[in-house]
Amino acid sequence: MVEHRAVDVNGVRLHIAEEGEGPLVVLLHGFPECWYSWRHQFGPLAARGFHVVAPDQRGYGRSERPEAVDAYTILHLVGDVVGLIHALGEERAFVVGHDWGAPVAWHTALLRPDVVRGVAGLSVPPPFRGGSRPLEAMNKLFDGQFYWNYFEKPGVAEAEFERDVRTSLRRFLYAASGDNPANVTPPQPLVPRGGGFLERMPEPETLPSWLTEADVDVFAEEYAANGFTGGLNWYRNLDRNWELTAPWAGATVQRPALYIAGDRDLVTAFPGTPELVENLPRLLPDIREPLILPGCGHWTQQERPDEVNAALLGFLDELL
């Protein structure tokens, strides 16, 4: 059974869900999600002999939400993971992340390889620091319409999403999934000028088989109570993260690594990402061949739990 408690780490109190005993595996969710996005991974990993822990990361769910925007930099987020590992009485752990959780996992392995036994990223590939600030670059490339730039404006996305939290999440989860026909050839996630992020996201009559109305209720309850600002603040630090990671320009993840993504995931169509994914086996010294799941969209471990669990277990078992 999954159990819940709070842990104080790095100056914030994090809510964690956990199951099992054995080597520690930390599962890091993305936006707009929470610990519950890993619901299909707890049982299989715990049954194989792992201590599985999924926190609500800072700003999300039942974890603390600092008010300052600059309290959500990648250094804070990596610090939370390192602090959590140590607070749980461990020196090292396997770290797995999806969506925004993936950059946190990759950077934890990059900045603190001594605490990472192995790292897996779902959807978002390993970080290679570009030559310019990402928010600036996307603003120029897409004339201000890329969703990162929409999210960086304080209060704007919050007002849209919080108008009807459940409907917002229902549309977002369906729209970015492999079940949305528009994602057969993943488009760039652009926001119409003068419109909103959800404007081009259809309201599904019925949900896909991997997502129930009860699942949406869980996510909606968390966001109705706690809002979206904490998660959106992660996007608002993208340029700041670029500045802070300057000392690691050109550095690569040296720990054993695994990358999993769907071929209908919008992230895999971001500028430069297809070329990066294709070259990962050449760019990283200890990465396995990327696993690309046909027909899968953005919500990798929710849409394809069996394939993801099999890949993760194979990777973890190999490193024990």
Side-chain angles (χ1 to χ4, degrees):
M1 293 291 292
V2 176
E3 298 181 345
H4 299 262
R5 60 184 169 117
V7 181
D8 290 318
V9 302
N10 196 28
V12 295
R13 173 160 289 192
L14 298 182
H15 161 255
I16 66 169
E18 63 184 331
E19 183 176 356
E21 296 180 354
L24 178 61
V25 181
V26 178
L27 305 176
L28 304 170
H29 66 81
F31 179 88
E33 300 169 278
C34 63
W35 72 269
Y36 187 74
S37 68
W38 298 103
R39 60 194 176 278
H40 301 300
Q41 282 65 54
F42 282 98
L45 271 64
R48 188 67 68 90
F50 293 97
H51 179 196
V52 187
V53 174
D56 285 337
Q57 298 199 74
R58 70 164 61 199
Y60 285 90
R62 287 169 262 177
S63 290
E64 282 194 273
R65 299 177 297 281
E67 291 188 13
V69 173
D70 62 4
Y72 296 86
T73 73
I74 195 66
L75 299 187
H76 289 90
L77 305 175
V78 169
D80 291 349
V81 176
V82 174
L84 177 60
I85 292 169
H86 292 156
L88 294 171
E90 301 289 346
E91 293 299 321
R92 303 171 73 213
F94 298 101
V95 184
V96 181
H98 167 257
D99 182 74
W100 250 113
V104 178
W106 293 124
H107 278 91
T108 303
L110 179 68
L111 307 186
R112 290 299 306 272
D114 57 308
V115 302
V116 176
R117 300 178 68 167
V119 57
L122 281 59
S123 176
V124 180
F128 286 88
R129 187 175 178 274
S132 59
R133 295 173 177 80
L135 288 172
E136 282 186 10
M138 289 303 195
N139 188 53
K140 291 177 182 177
L141 190 60
F142 295 105
D143 197 23
Q145 292 183 268
F146 198 68
Y147 79 107
W148 292 356
N149 301 108
Y150 179 75
F151 283 0
E152 73 173 305
K153 303 164 187 172
V156 175
E158 287 95 328
E160 180 185 7
F161 295 156
E162 293 170 10
R163 198 170 298 125
D164 184 335
V165 170
R166 194 179 190 283
T167 298
S168 297
L169 291 166
R170 199 171 183 272
R171 290 171 69 179
F172 193 175
L173 290 166
Y174 171 74
S177 77
D179 299 270
N180 180 1
N183 293 337
V184 173
T185 302
Q188 295 296 334
L190 305 182
V191 178
R193 200 170 303 284
F197 177 77
L198 299 170
E199 190 168 315
R200 292 176 176 169
M201 295 185 173
E203 171 72 36
E205 292 185 11
T206 58
L207 294 174
S209 60
W210 59 270
L211 183 69
T212 69
E213 298 290 355
D215 294 332
V216 177
D217 288 340
V218 174
F219 289 120
E221 183 178 356
E222 297 291 349
Y223 281 92
N226 304 302
F228 290 82
T229 298
L232 290 166
N233 280 342
W234 292 36
Y235 291 90
R236 293 162 185 160
N237 278 285
L238 281 166
D239 283 358
R240 187 175 285 112
N241 291 343
W242 183 85
E243 296 171 359
L244 291 172
T245 55
W248 293 274
T252 58
V253 172
Q254 300 293 311
R255 303 304 298 147
L258 174 69
Y259 174 67
I260 307 172
D263 67 355
R264 296 186 180 183
D265 188 339
L266 280 71
V267 171
T268 63
F270 285 5
T273 302
E275 296 79 8
L276 172 58
V277 172
E278 184 178 349
N279 285 293
L280 282 178
R282 181 178 60 83
L283 294 171
L284 295 190
D286 201 6
I287 193 169
R288 280 69 189 146
E289 187 69 27
L291 175 61
I292 306 300
L293 300 171
C296 180
H298 181 61
W299 317 107
T300 327
Q301 77 274 20
Q302 297 185 71
E303 293 186 51
R304 296 296 179 82
D306 292 342
E307 293 96 325
V308 168
N309 291 345
L312 287 177
L313 286 169
F315 177 65
L316 298 175
D317 285 346
E318 171 196 344
L319 298 178
L320 287 179

